[in-house]
């Protein structure tokens, strides 16, 4: 890891993985909005494919992105990196309520070239169309209803203004849910400038609504890579305003500041990073001794992890399968590859509907847990002939191979809940003897010469991102965690955080959870003084040692 | 599972064991040798309890009080049955109850007959512990800082599973210390009850082996390499069929004599028999350590007694150790204290907190034993019953999922917001106990805290409400508050008490607020297998680790080892 050459390689590798990920998101958007604009980002090459509907073979799209980078003249030195790095699911937005329906405007001029003014006369923003603000405001209000935790945080802390004086630059998906977060930060006293971490994920009307309220937002849906970096730069580089906090998702903003504005970067009081990739990059920086500010890794906080993986997937597996295939689960034989948090969620959901669930696992502890939870632990080969559904959630590659696909029975369903699209060896299905038939969006029938059909969902990409949505409640957990991390970093006494990457303190994590308890009308019991003394705990937490496994 | 956190003082420092060990008693030496001779009347016991209580730590005092009041109904029983007050009689009474308890185990039906005619019975675990406390009154050994119970085990799997074997049938009054026994190989470096029981014990070990596949697999896998060649392991654990490895007993009652015999027969020096006195206990440990020409270099401990003994008595030996493997919460607590004080000069491995063990001891084990325990004691039907589970840690999660599966309506109380949120997402209502206490049919505590259910809650419960404890120690339910004159206690069957309020309301209290899963259920062999395997792996890891990997501190078992155990 310390070898720079190796590092670079690693980064590239990571990046290429990310490219696939970003394609995922991209395609999802294009699928949802059926707009002409969806081709825009494909650049010149896309014209060649214009006859093909939005869903192209994955492999080719990946090449697209790589190709596209040739056209981007921006001098990135460290090799190509994809524009969206988010792996963590909740950072990839829930589009359900707000599938940018306002996007159909045929306005071809880039927002960069337009000058827009909001109602207060400010021009310090760059969005698609400021007139959509009204629309966006409604979206934000809808989102607020499901994000009561942030609202109550707003209420509780409004008088103290814990973020007074904080100047936060943010780089996240810009959606209604993020908007609630941004407005909470503003309500707590912070000044914010915001940009998008993904070129496709911005909800234009939400960006407009934010700009209208005075938050400087630089983002629109369908930016080019060049636009992307331009937005980041505009966000950071403004006269009379020096950021002192960073909220990042993917590490692009951090990287840009680190490279371009080292002097500003040094004065930053803290970085809050959400995605796996971004955290990975921070750790690399820290290892190399080049991280000169404290950073906080919110991705691995207990509450967020549980919700991103276990609870979120438990719901979206059913949702995704139902939406795409209308399969009936009772009595179906399902094999779930991997019994981590995601696998546990999938198994629990399927078992509840009466499926017969098998588990494959490489880790003996997880294997044993599966046994104790009443699932048969098998090798995929042993049961491949008899199962009706295969769900992969290992995080590994080529878990389901061509060899196994060949032996599946007619009509069986294959899908991926893990991460990226490597788990199912889809490339091996792209051979001339197999016929692919697109039956509906995200559903392909692959037909063998003997007439056998295998139903492949979302072309082996993440089912929960492609065919389902992330509930606002889960995003609320993430957003609250981010807000508390910012507050903690900003208010921490000198010296508590050194120049390193930290996890969110347990107490804050517990606070995130307690803010969400109101949703369930849950009443927390309080320790009596005597009990607290007996347990040797503070009455207000933290309640568990750091190594506790929830 | 920290049932013995209620002895917070049990550290190396503030509870130093007497320096004068081992010494013969000066007085009362007749009652030295085990329960068979514990023939003083129960009344005396109570008196002496009171006499001593001043010096005892408050928690222990509470326990003693509980024990004392437990005696009371027994005495009544006996008075009805037969006015004789000998301990033996009491044991018979206990034994009769025991039979009922054991009947559902069905583990070894063939032994029933012999049980019936045997006065010295195996008793439920908790009963034993309390007896221990009382017995200590007889034991006049000059412990200075109050008494500690001899059984330290906290982790469930370290506490016995007696189901398959009971070997206490020999009514041989003479202490094993005074006997000289030899194995068939002429080996005499051991001290157990009766070497002739070896055959029987071997069979029991074989039965246990069938249920402990992991350990057997490990044995097979590693016997080629002999990763412990040269290691001189010294252990102090419960000696039951499942542990079946090593030598001094950490609990004076948990030894299965036959097993000890079988081990001795195999040439492993074992110093343990069922019903040791405290003096015997330390004598055994000492014999275990100070063999000539044999210096231990590894310790496997459960409760920290052995470690403590070596630390105090054989400093030079202690320094040469390659590692300590400690199983119980108490022992670990003591190790951490030692480590904090900078006096731990060898690496120690904490196997109690290894993933596999935690999951199995708590989540999976309790998931099964809550139903088992409740069914055995009350024959309740769970469907549609409203249950409140206090605490949603591993134990609470296990209880909730088991009860939910049977159709109970479950409420959860929790102090930790993260756990509370988990409960919400798993579909349980999170409430305060006050809000639901009037409507629930059952209260299960598993918080690890004290006084979770207070008298004010108990007063408001509805008629017939069942209350039990799955957490740790007997502190969770505020029992002392029920020992008042206006409430009438009725012992309806073993482990089940009915408490009547003046208005006729009846509350069903299980196991007198002690651990339900230890008192009214058993620990499955599979779970013990996990523990034993973990211990063995920890020993191998410590012994085989390259110089310098482990410094002088307390470590958790490496994750990889935990996995291998699974």
């Amino acid at each position: 890891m310390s070898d720079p050459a190796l590092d670079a390689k690693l980064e590239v590798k990571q990046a290429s993985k990310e490219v696939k990920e970003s394609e995922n998101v991209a395609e999802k958007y294009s699928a949802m909005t059926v707009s002409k604009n969806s081709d825009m980002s494909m650049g010149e090459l896309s014209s060649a494919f214009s006859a093909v509907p939005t869903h192209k073979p994955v492999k080719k799209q990946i090449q697209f992105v790589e190709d596209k980078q040739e056209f981007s003249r921006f001098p990135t030195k460290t090799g190509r990196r994809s524009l969206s790095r988010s792996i963590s699911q909740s950072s990839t937005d829930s589009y359900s309520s707000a599938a940018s329906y306002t996007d159909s405007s045929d306005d071809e001029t880039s927002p960069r070239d337009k000058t827009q003014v909001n109602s207060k006369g400010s021009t310090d923003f760059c969005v698609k169309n400021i007139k959509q603000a009204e629309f966006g405001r409604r979206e934000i209000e809808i989102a607020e209803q499901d994000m009561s935790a942030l609202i109550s945080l707003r209420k509780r802390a409004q008088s103290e203004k814990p973020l007074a004086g904080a100047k936060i630059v943010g780089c996240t998906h810009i959606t209604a849910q993020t908007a609630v977060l941004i407005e909470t930060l503003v309500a707590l006293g912070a000044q914010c400038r915001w940009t998008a971490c993904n070129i496709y994920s911005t909800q234009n009307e939400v960006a407009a609504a934010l700009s209208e309220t005075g938050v400087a937002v630089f983002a629109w849906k369908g930016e080019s890579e060049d636009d992307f970096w331009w937005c980041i730069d505009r966000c950071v580089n403004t006269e009379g305003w020096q950021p002192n906090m960073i909220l990042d998702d993917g590490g692009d903003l951090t990287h840009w500041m680190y490279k371009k504005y080292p002097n500003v970067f040094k004065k930053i009081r803290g970085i809050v990073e959400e995605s796996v990739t971004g955290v990975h990059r921070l750790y690399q920086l820290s290892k190399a001794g080049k991280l000169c500010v404290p950073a906080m890794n919110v991705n691995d906080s207990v509450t967020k992890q549980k919700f991103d993986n276990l609870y979120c997937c438990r719901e979206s597996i059913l949702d995704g399968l139902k939406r795409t295939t209308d399969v009936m689960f009772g009595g179906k034989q399902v094999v779930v590859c991997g019994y981590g948090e995601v696998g546990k969620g999938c198994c629990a959901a399927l078992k509840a509907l009466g499926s017969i669930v098998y588990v494959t696992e490489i880790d003996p502890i997880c294997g044993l847990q599966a046994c104790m939870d009443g699932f048969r632990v098998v090798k995929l080969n042993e049961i491949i002939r008899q199962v009706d559904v295969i769900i992969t959630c290992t995080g590994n590659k080529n878990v389901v191979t061509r060899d196994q696909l060949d032996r599946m029975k007619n009509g069986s369903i294959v899908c991926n809940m893990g991460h990226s699209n490597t788990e199912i060896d889809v490339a091996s299905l792209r051979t001339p003897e197999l016929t692919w038939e697109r039956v509906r969006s995200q559903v392909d029938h692959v037909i063998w010469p003997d007439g056998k059909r295998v139903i492949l969902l979302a072309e082996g990409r993440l089912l929960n991102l492609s065919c389902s949505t992330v509930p606002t409640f889960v995003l609320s957990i993430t957003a609250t965690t981010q807000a508390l991390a910012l507050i903690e970093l900003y208010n921490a006494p000198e010296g508590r955080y050194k120049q390193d990457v930290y996890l969110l303190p347990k107490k804050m994590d517990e606070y995130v959870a307690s803010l969400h308890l109101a949703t369930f009308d849950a009443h927390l019991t309080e320790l009596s003084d005597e009990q607290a003394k007996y347990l040797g705990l503070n009455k207000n937490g933290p309640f568990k040692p750091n190594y506790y496994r929830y | 599972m920290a049932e013995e956190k209620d002895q917070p003082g049990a550290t190396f420092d503030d509870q130093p064991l007497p320096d004068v060990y081992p010494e013969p008693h000066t007085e009362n030496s007749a009652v030295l040798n085990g329960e068979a001779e514990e023939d003083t009347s129960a009344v005396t016991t109570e008196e002496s309890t009171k006499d001593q209580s001043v010096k005892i730590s408050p928690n222990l005092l509470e326990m003693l009080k509980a024990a004392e009041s437990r005696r009371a109904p027994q005495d009544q029983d006996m008075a009805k049955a037969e006015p004789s007050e000998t301990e033996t009689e009491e044991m018979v009474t206990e034994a009769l109850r025991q039979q009922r308890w054991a009947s559902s185990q069905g583990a070894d039906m063939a032994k029933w007959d012999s049980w019936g005619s045997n006065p010295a019975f195996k008793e439920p675990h908790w009963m034993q512990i309390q007896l221990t406390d009382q017995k200590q009154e007889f034991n006049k050994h000059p412990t200075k800082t109050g008494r500690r119970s001899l059984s330290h085990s906290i982790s469930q799997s370290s506490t016995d599973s007696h189901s398959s074997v009971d070997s206490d049938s020999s009514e041989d009054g003479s202490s094993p210390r005074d006997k000289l026994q030899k194995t068939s190989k002429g080996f005499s470096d051991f001290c157990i009850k009766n070497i002739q029981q070896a055959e029987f014990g071997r069979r029991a070990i074989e039965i246990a082996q069938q249920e402990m596949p992991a350990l057997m697999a490990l044995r097979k896998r590693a016997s080629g390499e002999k990763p412990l060649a040269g290691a001189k392991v010294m252990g102090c654990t419960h000696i039951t069929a499942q542990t079946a490895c090593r030598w001094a007993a950490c609990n004076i009652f948990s030894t299965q004599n036959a097993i000890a015999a079988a081990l001795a027969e195999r040439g492993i020096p074992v110093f343990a028999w069922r019903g040791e006195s405290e003096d015997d206990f330390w004598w055994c440990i000492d014999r275990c350590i100070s063999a000539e020409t044999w210096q231990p270099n590894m310790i496997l401990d459960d409760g920290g007694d052995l470690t403590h003994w070596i630390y105090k008595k054989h400093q030079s030996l202690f320094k040469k150790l390659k590692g300590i493997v400690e199983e119980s919460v108490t022992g670990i607590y003591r190790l951490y204290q030692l480590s904090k004080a900078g006096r731990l000069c060898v690496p120690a491995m904490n196997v109690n907190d290894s993933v596999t063990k935690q999951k199995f001891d708590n989540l999976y084990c309790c998931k099964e034993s809550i139903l088992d325990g409740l069914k055995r004691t009350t024959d309740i039907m769970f469907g549609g019953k409203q249950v409140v589970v206090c605490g949603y840690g591993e134990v609470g999660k296990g209880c909730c999922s088991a009860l939910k599966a049977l159709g109970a309506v479950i409420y959860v109380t929790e102090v930790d917001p993260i756990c509370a949120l988990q409960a919400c997402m798993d579909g349980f209502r999170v409430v305060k106990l006050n809000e639901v206490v009037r409507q629930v049919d059952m209260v299960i505590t598993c918080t690890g805290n004290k006084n979770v259910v207070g008298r004010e809650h108990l007063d408001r419960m509805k008629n017939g409400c069942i209350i039990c404890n799955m957490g740790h120690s007997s502190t969770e339910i505020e029992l002392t508050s029920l020992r008042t004159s206006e409430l009438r206690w009725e012992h309806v069957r073993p482990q089940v008490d009915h408490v009547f309020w003046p208005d006729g309301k009846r509350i069903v209290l299980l196991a007198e607020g002690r651990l339900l899963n230890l008192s009214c259920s058993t620990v499955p062999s599979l779970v013990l297998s996990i523990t034993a395997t973990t211990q063995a792996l920890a020993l191998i890891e410590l012994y085989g680790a390259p110089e310098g990997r482990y410094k002088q501190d307390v470590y958790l078992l490496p994750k990889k080892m935990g996995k291998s155990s699974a």
Side-chain angles (χ1 to χ4, degrees):
Chain A
M1 287 289 237
S2 54
D3 178 5
L6 205 77
D7 271 10
K9 225 187 227 167
L10 201 100
E11 190 158 346
V12 169
K13 217 182 190 176
Q14 189 93 18
S16 64
K17 208 191 269 170
E18 287 317 308
V19 168
K20 296 167 193 168
E21 196 73 26
S22 78
E23 282 311 304
N24 236 338
V25 176
E27 189 159 70
K28 173 158 187 188
Y29 265 96
S30 47
M32 295 186 90
T33 57
V34 204
S35 79
K36 294 164 202 162
N37 293 358
S38 57
D39 286 352
M40 189 176 98
S41 56
M42 300 294 171
E44 295 93 311
L45 282 181
S46 63
S47 58
F49 288 85
S50 54
V52 188
T54 33
H55 307 283
K56 294 148 197 145
V58 191
K59 267 287 172 197
K60 284 191 181 155
Q61 286 198 346
I62 289 168
Q63 282 159 10
F64 267 10
V65 175
E66 308 253 352
D67 289 351
K68 227 181 37 171
Q69 287 181 343
E70 305 299 333
F71 297 97
S72 116
R73 278 134 302 173
F74 215 93
T76 47
K77 274 170 199 152
T78 45
R80 331 250 149 87
R81 285 175 308 129
S82 105
L83 293 184
S84 105
R85 289 223 161 54
S86 266
I87 287 180
S88 98
Q89 287 170 16
S90 54
S91 71
T92 54
D93 39 4
S94 110
Y95 322 89
S96 56
S97 59
S100 291
Y101 40 78
T102 52
D103 221 40
S104 46
S105 69
D106 270 322
D107 188 355
E108 288 298 334
T109 58
S110 160
R112 276 167 75 171
D113 307 332
K114 289 188 291 186
T115 311
Q116 299 180 75
V117 184
N118 71 8
S119 56
K120 290 170 195 142
S122 163
T123 59
D124 186 17
F125 62 90
C126 185
V127 297
K128 188 85 176 176
N129 186 356
I130 187 70
K131 299 207 181 58
Q132 296 172 340
E134 187 95 355
F135 245 149
R137 177 52 48 193
R138 227 183 310 149
E139 290 291 346
I140 295 173
E141 275 160 15
I142 293 172
E144 276 176 2
Q145 286 174 4
D146 250 353
M147 301 181 80
S148 50
L150 272 182
I151 306 300
S152 70
L153 176 67
R154 239 186 246 183
K155 269 189 206 139
R156 283 193 210 182
Q158 204 151 25
S159 53
E160 304 168 29
K161 299 261 182 221
L163 287 175
K167 294 174 177 172
I168 304 171
V169 279
C171 176
T172 64
H173 297 277
I174 295 188
T175 59
Q177 287 83 10
T178 327
V180 178
L181 169 64
I182 295 171
E183 294 191 340
T184 305
L185 296 178
V186 171
L188 299 183
Q191 297 173 32
C192 298
R193 294 174 72 83
W194 228 260
T195 179
C197 71
N198 182 306
I199 53 176
Y200 301 107
S201 68
T202 307
Q203 291 179 337
N204 283 335
E205 61 282 356
V206 170
L210 281 172
S211 303
E212 179 62 36
T213 56
V215 178
V217 175
F218 301 87
W220 58 92
K221 185 183 168 105
E223 301 166 6
S224 70
E225 185 166 357
D226 189 42
D227 290 339
F228 177 78
W229 294 111
W230 179 85
C231 284
I232 288 188
D233 193 60
R234 277 294 307 273
C235 199
V236 179
N237 181 19
T238 175
E239 275 171 34
W241 198 87
Q242 275 209 342
N244 53 19
M245 304 283 295
I246 297 179
L247 178 63
D248 205 354
D249 181 349
D252 287 319
L253 175 61
T254 310
H255 184 71
W256 184 260
M257 297 262 295
Y258 175 70
K259 286 278 176 205
K260 290 274 168 182
Y261 304 99
N263 291 329
V264 181
F265 190 71
K266 273 180 206 143
K267 285 187 202 137
I268 295 277
R269 294 182 66 163
I271 301 170
V272 174
E273 172 59 52
E274 174 182 353
S275 73
V276 176
T277 329
V279 168
H280 179 71
R281 293 164 90 186
L282 281 175
Y283 275 117
Q284 289 206 334
L285 213 58
S286 154
K287 236 183 218 164
K290 284 186 272 181
L291 185 69
C292 49
V293 291
M296 201 165 281
N297 165 5
V298 293
N299 182 59
D300 293 328
S301 77
V302 180
T303 318
K304 181 170 179 293
Q305 279 285 332
K306 282 274 176 201
F307 272 86
D308 275 3
N309 300 321
L310 182 60
Y311 300 125
C312 188
C313 293
R314 198 171 66 181
E315 312 221 338
S316 58
I317 178 68
L318 300 182
D319 184 26
L321 283 170
K322 282 277 185 202
R323 276 194 207 187
T324 49
T325 63
D326 288 324
V327 67
M328 176 104 179
F329 291 101
K332 284 281 193 310
Q333 298 193 45
V334 182
V335 59
V336 175
C337 304
Y339 200 68
E341 292 285 349
V342 177
K344 287 184 179 98
C346 292
C347 287
L350 291 166
K351 190 185 187 183
L353 289 188
S355 304
I356 299 157
V357 182
Y358 300 95
V359 170
T360 72
E361 184 48 81
I362 53 162
D363 177 336
I365 294 183
C366 294
L368 197 54
Q369 286 182 326
C371 291
M372 296 307 291
D373 292 341
F375 302 111
R376 293 267 301 131
V377 177
V378 295
K379 286 187 180 171
L380 189 52
N381 279 330
E382 295 164 7
I383 37 99
I384 190 80
R385 278 182 193 284
Q386 72 199 60
V387 294
D388 302 295
V389 182
I390 296 185
I391 300 165
T392 59
C393 31
T394 61
N396 203 339
K397 66 183 273 193
N398 294 348
V399 177
V400 180
T401 59
R402 170 66 190 269
D403 183 42
Q404 282 152 344
L405 290 164
D406 281 341
R407 293 192 298 150
M408 291 188 76
K409 71 179 184 192
N410 188 22
S412 48
I413 300 169
V414 185
C415 66
N416 171 25
M417 290 285 290
H419 90 80
S420 78
N421 54 359
T422 52
E423 305 215 4
I424 301 165
D425 190 7
V426 176
S428 70
L429 291 178
R430 306 272 181 199
T431 51
E433 81 271 21
L434 302 184
T435 319
W436 283 60
E437 199 174 276
R438 161 62 49 100
V439 294
R440 65 179 89 149
S441 151
Q442 310 290 354
V443 184
D444 287 290
H445 284 187
V446 182
I447 304 165
W448 264 252
D450 62 357
K452 180 183 87 169
R453 272 164 200 265
V454 165
I455 303 166
L456 179 64
L457 301 184
E459 300 188 53
R461 293 183 312 267
L462 284 178
L463 182 72
N464 48 342
L465 291 187
S466 311
C467 313
S468 169
T469 55
V470 180
T472 301
F473 188 76
V474 173
L475 295 170
S476 169
I477 298 265
T478 309
T480 315
T481 311
Q482 286 171 326
L484 284 174
L486 283 170
I487 294 175
E488 169 72 15
L489 272 180
Y490 189 69
N491 290 309
E494 196 75 29
R496 180 186 294 173
Y497 295 104
K498 310 250 161 25
Q499 295 155 7
D500 204 350
V501 185
Y502 292 87
L503 283 177
L504 189 68
K506 184 137 238 150
K507 207 169 163 183
M508 288 305 212
D509 216 346
E510 283 171 358
Y511 191 59
V512 173
S514 67
L515 281 172
H516 285 88
L517 282 178
T519 314
F520 304 105
D521 188 29
H523 304 176
L524 213 55
T525 308
E526 275 173 28
L527 288 175
S528 70
D529 291 328
E530 183 202 8
Q531 289 175 331
K533 198 173 153 216
Y534 177 74
L535 293 177
L537 293 173
N538 186 317
K539 264 171 90 174
N540 303 314
F543 297 99
K544 300 284 193 301
N546 278 327
Y547 60 80
Y548 185 79
R549 300 170 180 96
Y550 285 89
Chain B
M1 293 304 300
E3 83 193 19
E4 280 186 5
K5 237 181 167 178
D6 59 340
Q7 300 177 345
T11 69
F12 283 111
D13 292 328
D14 48 17
Q15 296 237 330
L17 279 159
D19 298 320
V20 283
Y21 266 117
E23 262 179 14
H25 289 218
T26 46
E27 18 173 13
N28 222 352
S29 58
V31 287
L32 239 176
N33 294 327
E35 59 190 80
E37 297 181 29
E38 194 184 0
D39 54 358
T40 327
S41 76
V43 182
T44 325
T45 311
E46 281 179 37
E47 278 169 7
S48 59
T49 307
K50 277 168 201 156
D51 292 343
Q52 298 281 349
S53 58
V54 196
K55 304 167 203 159
I56 298 173
S57 75
N59 284 322
L60 198 53
L61 178 61
E62 233 169 73
M63 268 175 72
L64 283 174
K65 269 190 191 155
E68 196 180 297
S69 38
R70 174 152 171 75
R71 277 286 160 113
Q74 272 176 15
D75 290 344
Q76 286 167 11
D77 288 352
M78 280 192 305
K80 283 175 209 155
E82 207 173 318
S84 152
E85 280 187 21
T86 64
E87 185 72 16
T88 319
E89 290 295 338
E90 186 177 334
M91 299 307 286
V92 171
T93 321
E94 193 61 39
L96 289 171
R97 289 184 194 157
Q98 222 26 64
Q99 274 190 340
R100 195 192 163 92
W101 172 71
S103 66
S104 48
Q105 300 186 351
D108 226 337
M109 304 298 270
K111 277 191 227 94
W112 262 61
D113 299 346
S114 60
W115 280 22
S117 58
N118 262 325
F121 278 98
K122 167 177 71 138
E123 300 155 346
H125 180 72
W126 258 99
M127 183 62 197
Q128 289 177 356
I129 288 178
Q130 291 187 349
L131 275 176
T132 310
D133 289 332
Q134 289 172 342
K135 236 164 42 95
Q136 285 180 350
E137 307 302 331
F138 296 101
N139 172 347
K140 289 291 187 305
H141 211 89
T143 49
K144 276 167 201 155
T145 44
R147 280 106 212 290
R148 287 181 306 131
S149 128
L150 288 180
S151 92
H152 280 287
S153 251
I154 289 178
S155 89
Q156 283 173 15
S157 49
S158 72
T159 52
D160 43 2
S161 128
H162 318 276
S163 55
S164 57
V165 183
D166 189 274
S167 56
D168 243 340
S169 44
S170 76
E171 255 318 286
D172 186 353
S174 66
S175 162
R177 276 166 74 170
D178 308 332
K179 289 191 289 188
L180 187 61
Q181 298 178 76
K182 273 199 169 137
T183 66
S184 53
K185 290 168 197 145
F187 174 77
S188 64
D189 186 15
F190 61 92
C191 182
I192 54 170
K193 191 84 175 176
N194 186 354
I195 187 69
Q196 258 97 60
Q197 293 172 337
E199 186 86 1
F200 183 49
R202 178 51 52 193
R203 226 182 317 148
I205 293 175
E206 274 157 18
I207 293 172
Q209 277 177 357
Q210 285 176 6
E211 291 170 74
M212 303 178 80
L215 208 53
M216 291 306 110
L218 178 69
R219 212 185 262 187
K220 254 187 217 154
R221 264 194 238 171
S223 64
E225 310 164 23
K226 297 260 182 226
L228 287 173
K232 293 176 177 170
V233 185
M234 183 164 52
C236 174
T237 66
H238 296 279
I239 298 190
T240 64
Q242 282 88 350
T243 48
C245 317
R246 296 129 220 217
W247 14 97
C250 73
N251 183 313
I252 53 175
F253 286 105
S254 66
T255 308
Q256 293 180 346
N257 285 337
I259 304 298
L263 286 174
E265 180 66 33
R266 276 288 176 90
I268 300 169
V270 176
F271 303 90
W273 57 95
R274 191 182 197 83
E276 300 166 11
S277 70
E278 185 166 356
D279 187 47
D280 289 340
F281 177 72
W282 294 111
W283 179 84
C284 282
I285 289 191
D286 197 58
R287 275 294 308 272
C288 195
I289 299 164
S290 41
E292 281 165 35
T293 72
W294 195 88
Q295 280 204 340
N297 52 18
M298 307 277 297
I299 295 181
L300 177 66
D301 206 354
D302 181 348
D305 287 321
L306 178 59
T307 312
H308 182 64
W309 185 262
I310 298 187
Y311 175 70
K312 285 279 176 204
K313 285 279 169 180
H314 302 271
Q315 280 280 349
S316 57
L317 255 179
F318 192 68
K319 278 179 199 139
K320 285 186 205 136
L321 289 175
K322 289 194 76 160
I324 301 170
V325 173
E326 172 59 56
E327 173 180 356
S328 74
V329 175
T330 326
I332 287 161
Y333 180 67
R334 295 164 86 185
L335 282 176
Y336 274 116
Q337 292 235 329
L338 209 59
S339 156
K340 240 184 218 164
R343 281 182 285 163
L344 184 68
C345 48
V346 290
M349 184 90 71
N350 167 357
V351 293
N352 186 57
D353 290 331
S354 78
V355 194
T356 321
K357 184 162 182 301
Q358 279 286 324
K359 282 272 178 206
F360 271 82
D361 273 6
N362 298 327
L363 183 60
Y364 298 120
C365 187
C366 292
K367 201 160 150 183
E368 314 226 334
S369 57
I370 179 70
L371 299 183
D372 185 23
L374 284 169
K375 282 278 186 202
R376 276 189 207 189
T377 48
T378 63
D379 287 326
I380 192 182
M381 178 104 182
F382 291 99
K385 285 282 191 311
Q386 297 193 50
V387 184
V388 60
V389 176
C390 304
Y392 200 67
E394 293 288 347
V395 178
K397 288 182 180 97
C399 292
C400 286
S401 77
L403 291 167
K404 190 184 189 183
L406 291 188
V409 178
I410 300 163
Y411 301 96
V412 171
T413 73
E414 183 47 82
V415 292
D416 180 339
I418 297 182
C419 293
L421 198 54
Q422 285 184 305
C424 289
M425 295 306 292
D426 292 342
F428 303 114
R429 293 267 301 129
V430 178
V431 295
K432 288 187 182 177
L433 187 53
N434 273 330
E435 299 163 359
V436 290
V437 75
R438 275 181 194 285
Q439 71 200 61
V440 293
D441 303 295
M442 218 182 296
V443 178
I444 300 168
T445 60
C446 31
T447 62
N449 204 333
K450 70 188 258 191
N451 296 351
V452 176
V453 180
R455 174 65 189 267
E456 72 276 13
H457 298 123
L458 291 162
D459 280 343
R460 290 165 52 214
M461 279 175 193
K462 70 180 185 193
N463 188 22
C465 183
I466 297 171
I467 175 158
C468 66
N469 171 24
M470 290 285 291
H472 87 79
S473 76
S474 49
T475 54
E476 307 218 2
I477 302 163
E478 200 186 349
L479 270 188
T480 42
S481 71
L482 286 180
R483 305 282 183 192
T484 53
S485 51
E486 81 272 20
L487 302 184
R488 194 160 54 81
W489 283 60
E490 198 173 278
H491 195 70
V492 293
R493 65 177 93 149
Q495 313 292 353
V496 183
D497 285 289
H498 285 187
V499 183
F500 289 94
W501 263 250
D503 61 358
K505 182 179 86 168
R506 186 169 47 97
I507 280 184
V508 183
L509 177 65
L510 301 186
E512 298 189 55
R514 294 182 312 264
L515 284 178
L516 183 70
N517 49 345
L518 291 187
S519 309
C520 313
S521 173
T522 53
V523 180
S525 254
L526 179 63
V527 173
L528 290 172
S529 164
I530 298 264
T531 310
T533 313
T534 310
Q535 285 172 335
L537 283 172
L539 280 173
I540 294 175
E541 169 71 15
L542 270 180
Y543 188 72
E547 196 77 28
R549 178 185 299 172
Y550 296 102
K551 308 253 160 25
Q552 295 154 6
D553 204 350
V554 185
Y555 293 87
L556 286 176
L557 190 66
K559 181 131 188 181
K560 213 175 132 213
M561 294 305 249
K563 284 181 179 173
S564 170
S565 146

